[in-house]
């Protein structure tokens, strides 16, 4: 085994017994007495697995599980409990536990559980390391597991710049419409800084409750406020030595913006109720669906904070501005979901591709991904057809009649329709002819006629 198993157990007899049993099976083992010590050890080293009791001092086992899956999601966790119930076991599994073992148990029971989970985890790692091609695969399960698939010149320039700046700690701002792949670019930058084994913490600023935002981001000390029964490690500390992604940063409330500004300036954080600043070494990536400059003008976002996060800016173009990516993205999602669902679909028909090309894709890559996933589930043949896309309602909505000016001739209207269609498909005459319902020869003749006149 390349990395040890971490046992988190407050009772010394049980802790030593489990450690002895796993070492006899050839596993390297480290131990922690409580949840805080466990998170500290996880932050300093690499582990193949965590075995944690639900009843722990300082942090509950469920809190440990939650934090481990947020920061080190590729590490499987086995929970043990003496007060087992169906509800608690289900909750643990929902939070990402690989297994729940009820106390009292024999060492053989735990050994079997560890062996089973270790083999499953190793199989996933082997499958990941076996991936080939130009796609960027991200092994950390907390990082969006999508590949940056593109042949668009603008996107290729963005990826080159992202690779170039990845080794630095410079703050990054990524802007673009919803669904364009901003989170994927953030993970791309993280992994190209050797970040596969480093913490990657993503948080949606819009979902932070006003009263808890400071505690979530910066943590709090025990007794800092009513209900603070334990110390809480904030997201910035959890991301130390790695990357923190602040999604929808424009929705961050003003008091937290002020504290974030200080964090960026001083590279320290202050826990709520804390007595001294805590130094951090973390890459900050800010993401926004809206234009932050406009938010500054509207006094919804601090101007000084804008200049702090806008060190290296990226703007991802919407899918409608890079239609050449639609075929390669569609094929990528076909392969992905075909494999995931065990479907025999291997190819997309030209008619189906034509339908995909002429849509507006207001939801961008995410919308295309959803359409392709649904189409794979509906398809039974080895080729994807237009009827599998299930897009009649969307097409009807998008194919609005062109506004007809009074007095325009039929020939002028025909010319306008042809040029608008060519513009929509980036001057691809084959696709334009198919959309217009005419032959490519007829289209060429029409264009020659327009030039001559």
């Amino acid at each position: 085994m390349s990395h040890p198993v971490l046992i988190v157990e407050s009772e010394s007899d049980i802790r030593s017994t489990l450690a002895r049993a796993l070492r006899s099976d050839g596993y390297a083992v480290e131990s922690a007495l409580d949840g805080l010590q466990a998170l500290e050890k996880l932050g300093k080293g690499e582990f193949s697995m965590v075995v944690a009791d639900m009843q722990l001092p300082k942090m509950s086992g469920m809190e440990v599980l939650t934090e481990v899956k947020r920061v080190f999601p590729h590490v499987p966790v086995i929970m043990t409990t003496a007060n087992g119930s169906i509800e608690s076991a289900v909750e643990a599994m929902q939070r990402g536990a690989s297994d729940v073992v009820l106390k009292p148990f024999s060492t053989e029971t735990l050994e079997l559980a560890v062996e089973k989970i270790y083999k499953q985890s190793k199989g996933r790692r082997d499958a990941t390391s076996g991936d080939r091609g130009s796609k960027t695969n991200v092994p950390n399960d907390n990082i969006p597991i999508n590949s940056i698939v593109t042949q668009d010149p603008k996107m290729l320039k963005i990826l080159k710049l992202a690779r170039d700046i990845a080794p630095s700690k410079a703050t990054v701002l990524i802007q673009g419409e919803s669904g364009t792949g901003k989170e994927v670019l953030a993970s791309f930058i993280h992994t190209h800084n050797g970040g596969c084994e480093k913490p990657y913490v993503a948080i949606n600023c819009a979902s932070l409750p006003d009263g808890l935002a400071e505690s979530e981001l910066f943590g709090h000390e025990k007794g800092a406020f009513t209900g603070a029964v334990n110390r809480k490690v904030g997201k910035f500390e959890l991301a130390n030595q790695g990357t923190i992604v602040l999604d929808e940063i424009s929705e961050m409330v003003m008091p937290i913006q002020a504290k974030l500004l200080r964090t960026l300036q001083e590279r320290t954080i202050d826990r709520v109720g804390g007595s001294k600043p805590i130094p951090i070494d973390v890459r900050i990536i800010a993401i926004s669906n809206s234009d932050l400059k406009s938010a500054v003008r509207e006094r919804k976002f601090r101007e000084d904070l804008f200049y702090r996060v806008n060190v290296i800016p990226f703007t991802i173009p919407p899918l409608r501005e890079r239609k050449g990516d639609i075929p390669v993205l569609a094929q990528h999602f076909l392969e992905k979901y075909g494999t995931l669902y065990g479907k025999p679909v291997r190819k997309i028909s030209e008619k189906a591709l034509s339908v995909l090309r002429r849509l507006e894709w207001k939801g961008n890559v995410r919308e295309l991904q959803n359409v392709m996933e649904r189409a794979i589930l509906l398809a039974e043949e080895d080729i994807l057809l237009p009827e599998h896309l299930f897009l009649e309602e969307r097409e009807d909505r998008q194919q609005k009649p062109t506004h007809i000016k009074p007095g325009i001739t039929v020939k002028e209207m025909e010319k306008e329709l042809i040029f608008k269609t060519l513009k929509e498909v980036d001057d691809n005459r084959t696709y334009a002819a198919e959309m217009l319902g005419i032959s490519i020869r007829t289209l060429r003749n029409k264009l020659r006629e327009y030039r001559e006149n």
Side-chain angles (χ1 to χ4, degrees):
M1 170 172 287
S2 56
H3 305 305
V5 175
L6 177 63
I7 296 174
V8 191
E9 171 61 63
S10 58
E11 295 187 29
S12 59
D13 290 346
I14 297 177
R15 191 171 60 247
S16 59
T17 299
L18 296 181
R20 218 170 21 246
L22 292 179
R23 286 191 183 107
S24 68
D25 290 334
Y27 296 97
V29 178
E30 285 196 30
S31 301
L33 310 180
D34 55 57
L36 287 178
Q37 191 180 84
L39 292 180
E40 288 172 5
K41 289 199 172 192
L42 280 161
K44 294 176 181 177
E46 298 178 13
F47 293 86
S48 293
M49 191 180 308
V50 174
V51 179
D53 188 43
M54 285 195 185
Q55 302 298 320
L56 293 171
K58 298 185 180 180
M59 288 179 71
S60 72
M62 207 69 85
E63 287 177 313
V64 172
L65 168 64
T66 300
E67 298 302 335
V68 169
K69 299 313 290 183
R70 281 178 178 171
V71 188
F72 310 98
H74 57 290
V75 177
V77 180
I78 296 176
M79 301 299 296
T80 65
T81 177
N83 301 309
S85 68
I86 294 175
E87 291 78 10
S88 61
V90 169
E91 183 184 358
M93 298 298 280
Q94 287 175 337
R95 292 197 188 194
S98 298
D99 202 353
V100 177
V101 180
L102 301 181
K103 292 179 176 179
F105 54 79
S106 65
T107 54
E108 290 81 4
T109 300
L110 184 71
E111 288 172 288
L112 287 172
V114 168
E115 182 182 9
K116 179 186 74 172
I117 301 304
Y118 176 70
K119 285 180 178 178
Q120 290 174 353
S121 177
K122 184 176 183 299
R124 284 193 294 270
R125 289 196 302 272
D126 291 345
T128 301
S129 64
D131 288 339
R132 295 291 182 268
S134 60
K135 302 170 187 175
T136 304
N137 297 292
V138 184
N140 188 332
D141 292 342
N142 196 38
I143 303 172
I145 305 181
N146 288 305
S147 299
I148 296 182
V149 179
T150 185
Q151 60 183 18
D152 179 77
K154 292 179 184 175
M155 284 299 295
L156 292 173
K157 285 182 180 178
I158 288 172
L159 294 186
K160 183 182 183 305
L161 177 59
R163 284 192 197 94
D164 290 344
I165 61 92
S168 73
K169 285 285 186 180
T171 303
V172 173
L173 173 62
I174 305 174
Q175 298 185 93
E177 293 180 9
S178 179
T180 49
K182 299 183 294 297
E183 300 91 342
V184 183
L185 181 60
S187 71
F188 180 90
I189 293 169
H190 173 75
T191 53
H192 280 76
N193 187 22
C196 291
E197 299 300 329
K198 295 179 181 179
Y200 179 94
V201 178
I203 186 162
N204 189 305
C205 299
S207 67
L208 289 173
D210 289 353
L212 298 176
E214 187 176 9
S215 172
E216 282 293 315
L217 289 171
F218 305 105
H220 65 248
E221 296 291 348
K222 181 179 179 180
F225 50 82
T226 303
V229 294
N230 292 306
R231 172 193 282 179
K232 178 181 176 63
V233 177
K235 298 297 187 291
F236 273 91
E237 280 187 88
L238 292 172
N240 204 25
Q241 303 298 319
T243 302
I244 186 167
V245 177
L246 302 175
D247 197 4
E248 295 195 63
I249 193 173
S250 60
E251 301 301 313
M252 185 177 281
V253 295
M254 282 292 179
I256 304 303
Q257 288 185 33
K259 193 157 184 177
L260 175 60
L261 178 65
R262 184 172 182 274
T263 297
L264 284 164
Q265 290 172 336
E266 306 294 334
R267 292 290 160 174
T268 61
I269 60 106
D270 293 296
R271 291 195 191 121
V272 179
S275 58
K276 61 181 180 179
I278 300 168
I280 57 164
D281 178 18
V282 62
R283 168 60 132 328
I284 297 172
I285 300 180
I287 292 178
S288 179
N289 293 338
S290 58
D291 181 17
L292 278 190
K293 284 186 178 179
S294 298
V296 169
R297 287 194 296 270
E298 295 167 7
R299 298 184 181 278
K300 294 179 180 178
F301 198 80
R302 293 179 62 119
E303 186 173 17
D304 47 5
L305 179 57
F306 170 74
Y307 289 116
R308 281 285 178 178
V309 298
N310 194 42
V311 179
I312 302 177
F314 291 91
T315 300
I316 302 182
L319 189 55
R320 63 181 173 275
E321 293 181 9
R322 46 186 175 109
K323 290 209 166 185
D325 275 348
I326 291 175
V328 291
L329 283 165
Q331 183 63 36
H332 166 68
F333 292 133
L334 179 141
E335 293 171 3
K336 173 182 176 179
Y337 291 113
T339 301
L340 181 64
Y341 296 122
K343 303 287 283 190
V345 190
R346 295 290 178 268
K347 184 181 177 184
I348 307 172
S349 72
E350 283 301 319
K351 287 187 177 180
L353 275 176
S354 177
V355 172
L356 294 176
R357 284 189 181 95
R358 68 174 178 255
L359 295 176
E360 292 180 10
W361 299 114
K362 292 183 178 179
N364 293 295
V365 178
R366 187 179 295 122
E367 183 185 8
L368 175 60
Q369 179 177 1
N370 293 340
V371 166
M372 289 301 298
E373 181 177 10
R374 182 174 61 236
I376 294 298
L377 290 170
L378 294 173
E380 296 297 336
E381 302 87 356
D382 62 353
I383 186 168
L384 198 70
L385 302 174
E387 52 264 34
H388 298 140
L389 300 173
F390 208 70
L391 294 170
E392 290 85 354
E393 183 181 343
R394 186 186 280 106
E395 287 190 85
D396 290 341
R397 187 169 62 249
Q398 294 189 172
Q399 291 176 353
K400 297 176 181 177
T402 304
H403 179 67
I404 301 174
K405 303 171 187 174
I408 191 172
T409 67
V410 172
K411 186 172 287 296
E412 288 170 332
M413 190 167 64
E414 176 192 79
K415 179 179 178 180
E416 184 177 345
L417 178 61
I418 286 175
F419 281 121
K420 280 188 175 180
T421 304
L422 282 167
K423 183 179 178 181
E424 183 71 19
V425 295
D426 296 327
D427 289 321
N428 188 311
R429 295 185 181 185
T430 302
Y431 297 134
E434 187 172 344
M435 289 175 67
L436 292 164
I438 60 178
S439 67
I440 186 67
R441 178 179 295 177
T442 300
L443 178 60
R444 281 199 299 265
N445 291 338
K446 292 288 182 184
L447 293 173
R448 189 181 303 114
E449 178 186 330
Y450 300 146
R451 284 196 297 271
E452 289 172 357
N453 293 336

